[in-house]
Amino acid sequence: MTLIVVKFGGTSMGSPERIRHAAEKVIALHKQGHQVAVVVSAISGETDRLVNLTKAMADDPDPREYAAAITTGEQISTALLAIYLISRGYQARSFNAAQIKILTDANYKSARIQHIETEALTNCFNEKIIPVIAGFQGIDPTGSITALGRGGSDTTAVAIAAALKADECQIFTDVDGVYTCDPRIVPEAKRLARITFDEMLELASLGAKVLQKRSVEFAGKYKVKLRVLSSFAEGNGTLITFEDSSMEQPLVSGIAFNRSEAKLSIRGVPDIPGIAAKIIGPISDAAIDIDMIIQNGSADGTTDLTFTVNREDYLRAFDIVEQIALELKAKEVRGDQKIAKISLVGVGMRSHAGIASKMFDILGKEGIHIQLISTSEIKISVVIDEKYLELAVRALHSGFNLESLETEEFDPIIIPNI
Ligand code: ADP
Ligand code: ASP
Ligand code: MG
């Protein structure tokens, strides 16, 4: 017997009609004799609404209570889906994270899953009951409710699939797979029939929100067979594969972008060993994550250091850097919140040079100035002025011919489309 975990995202739960449609997919699987565990998100827009309510109570809501409030949307979804399944004559049961025991650390807003008890779920399977589980929630060792970070229902689904050793984890969303770029920004973007785990991890880390990064990490760690599919259209979706294929890999498989960073520069500090640590150390001590760093030397014995942080940490980081600038007698501190990071991702880059220069050339021809660059084996990222984001992404997409990327259908889906 096959065990499948299916997850329905916010849009797939967006209205009573959509919830019924999602439930019919579950019924089709169940009727085929598969064991199905369902993970659901809150109705689209609900989590934002709850976040805003907490912010109406306090500018900086208490993290424990914030997590308790913003994860309630998922709980409503589980019951609604279960009500419909029961009304259709199937046995179903809703579960929140405490009822399953999805155990996490105590980092309330962005908790990590540490362990999942499978007993309640296997009991359901033995009794032919379809379990419907709240995504995005966990409980910490004291039983307090935690949130898994925005987009965290993906991670619940993959973690449940890992715990149950499921045959496949299917993420149903509003696009019919992973595309070469966000189709909302590049309408010509192409669906990838398959994508390697390494590429998916980079795309998710670099801003493609189709899967939460941690869900991809989980899939990698436990080798969960993971597929992204549309709730609304038929098709095989995109399969995330682990084996390096014998097929020739495209140089660039996808483009991700991210508008959630900000840039800080400290200028005219003495160019002496240890200076970078003096500046970056206090930022890390304040638990602010730094992404890119660049240090420029100059002729007069001083240097400039530029780095990027999450936009939500920008003001805090700016205050810290101003303090350091005073101590180091730096010339000035500058900041810019209106930046965007664009990244090309592809495992084919491992074996080919010249991608970076082609990227810079395409951006140069559009008159787009590159502010920062970082590279790794399978990605190149640049930071540019946010106002050129769409232009840059589209120019790169067509410059690398991604609209005509060949992707072979791979390992077709095991369930009937509805
Ligand atoms: P859900 O509510 O189902 O979890 P999300 O909004 O979190 O859905 O993720 C789906 C969205 O991800 C799509 O609507 C799309 O705009 C966006 N997206 C960003 N990058 C990509 C990509 N490379 N391929 C597909 N979708 C992408
Ligand atoms: N509802 C949560 C959010 O909007 C979790 C999710 O959708 O994955 O972030
Ligand atoms: Mg999502």
Side-chain angles (χ1 to χ4, degrees):
M1 193 184 283
T2 322
L3 199 163
I4 301 173
V5 176
V6 293
K7 176 250 171 181
F8 295 98
T11 345
S12 313
M13 301 294 293
S15 64
E17 194 204 333
R18 288 183 172 185
I19 297 175
R20 286 196 292 268
H21 182 73
E24 291 299 336
K25 283 196 180 284
V26 175
I27 291 172
L29 272 170
H30 182 79
K31 272 180 153 165
Q32 274 201 330
H34 302 298
Q35 288 179 327
V36 197
V38 188
V39 173
V40 290
S41 287
I43 293 170
S44 59
E46 179 67 1
T47 310
D48 287 340
R49 189 182 75 86
L50 294 165
V51 167
N52 289 336
L53 282 174
T54 65
K55 301 239 156 108
M57 295 297 113
D59 291 340
D60 190 15
D62 175 78
R64 181 183 183 277
E65 305 313 327
Y66 174 84
I70 69 163
T71 55
T72 53
E74 271 64 16
Q75 214 161 312
I76 298 170
S77 293
T78 57
L80 294 179
L81 195 84
I83 287 171
Y84 180 76
L85 289 171
I86 294 166
S87 78
R88 286 274 280 108
Y90 296 89
Q91 294 192 81
R93 191 171 292 164
S94 65
F95 289 96
N96 63 25
Q99 289 168 320
I100 300 279
K101 294 197 180 61
I102 300 178
L103 304 174
T104 70
D105 60 24
N107 184 359
Y108 297 109
K109 289 167 135 178
S110 187
R112 279 180 188 272
I113 296 178
Q114 291 171 334
H115 180 72
I116 296 181
E117 296 272 333
T118 53
E119 196 186 334
L121 298 173
T122 46
N123 286 345
C124 280
F125 293 140
N126 292 338
E127 294 170 42
K128 303 257 174 309
I129 298 171
I130 303 170
V132 186
I133 305 146
F136 187 44
Q137 298 184 348
I139 50 166
D140 77 357
T142 68
S144 295
I145 296 165
T146 58
L148 304 182
R150 296 306 303 265
S153 295
D154 297 329
T155 303
T156 308
V158 179
I160 296 263
L164 291 173
K165 301 192 173 49
D167 294 279
E168 189 161 312
C169 179
Q170 301 180 344
I171 306 285
F172 285 93
T173 182
D174 58 354
V175 276
D176 62 346
V178 178
Y179 276 67
T180 48
C181 190
D182 187 342
R184 287 184 208 211
I185 300 290
V186 182
E188 300 77 31
K190 245 192 120 180
R191 179 179 63 86
L192 299 160
R194 46 178 287 170
I195 184 166
T196 68
F197 162 75
D198 289 335
E199 289 170 328
M200 192 63 240
L201 189 61
E202 289 287 0
L203 286 178
S205 313
L206 295 165
K209 73 165 187 167
V210 60
L211 286 175
Q212 197 199 36
K213 178 188 167 191
R214 283 187 190 164
S215 72
V216 187
E217 286 171 350
F218 242 100
K221 191 160 170 199
Y222 297 99
K223 296 288 173 288
V224 176
K225 190 170 175 194
L226 181 61
R227 193 191 289 270
V228 177
L229 296 153
S230 165
S231 297
F232 311 111
E234 304 205 340
N236 290 328
T238 300
L239 188 70
I240 287 84
T241 59
F242 297 103
E243 63 288 346
D244 248 344
S245 128
S246 51
M247 286 187 336
E248 189 160 336
Q249 298 285 356
L251 298 183
V252 177
S253 297
I255 303 177
F257 54 84
N258 172 341
R259 308 174 211 245
S260 61
E261 290 185 16
K263 186 178 79 167
L264 287 145
S265 300
I266 177 162
R267 305 191 46 196
V269 288
D271 193 6
I272 49 170
I275 197 74
K278 268 216 173 71
I279 298 167
I280 299 303
I283 302 280
S284 312
D285 293 346
I288 296 175
D289 285 336
I290 291 176
D291 181 20
M292 295 160 113
I293 307 178
I294 187 169
Q295 185 175 344
N296 304 323
S298 68
D300 64 357
T302 67
T303 184
D304 303 339
L305 196 95
T306 301
F307 59 93
T308 61
V309 295
N310 277 327
R311 245 179 238 190
E312 55 187 47
D313 294 326
Y314 173 76
L315 292 176
R316 251 181 349 123
F318 199 95
D319 285 347
I320 296 171
V321 175
E322 275 201 314
Q323 192 57 44
I324 303 166
L326 273 178
E327 286 163 24
L328 297 176
K329 300 192 173 44
K331 237 177 260 153
E332 63 173 341
V333 177
R334 279 195 193 170
D336 186 356
Q337 298 201 64
K338 295 219 158 76
I339 59 164
K341 182 167 83 172
I342 299 180
S343 309
L344 299 184
V345 172
V347 290
M349 283 184 208
R350 279 199 186 114
S351 47
H352 283 80
I355 310 287
S357 61
K358 182 165 174 187
M359 181 186 199
F360 304 156
D361 193 41
I362 292 168
L363 295 175
K365 287 204 173 100
E366 298 292 337
I368 299 168
H369 175 65
I370 298 170
Q371 305 176 8
L372 293 163
I373 300 167
S374 82
T375 63
S376 77
E377 241 197 334
I378 65 162
K379 72 122 208 276
I380 305 166
S381 302
V382 295
V383 165
I384 61 166
D385 186 330
E386 188 183 352
K387 69 172 180 263
Y388 299 121
L389 172 71
E390 297 190 0
L391 173 67
V393 168
R394 289 184 188 137
L396 291 167
H397 199 273
S398 79
F400 281 94
N401 268 327
L402 295 188
E403 56 280 351
S404 38
L405 198 78
E406 297 286 335
T407 78
E408 262 172 57
E409 283 305 330
F410 192 75
D411 204 1
I413 185 157
I414 45 179
I415 63 165
N417 288 300
I418 297 173

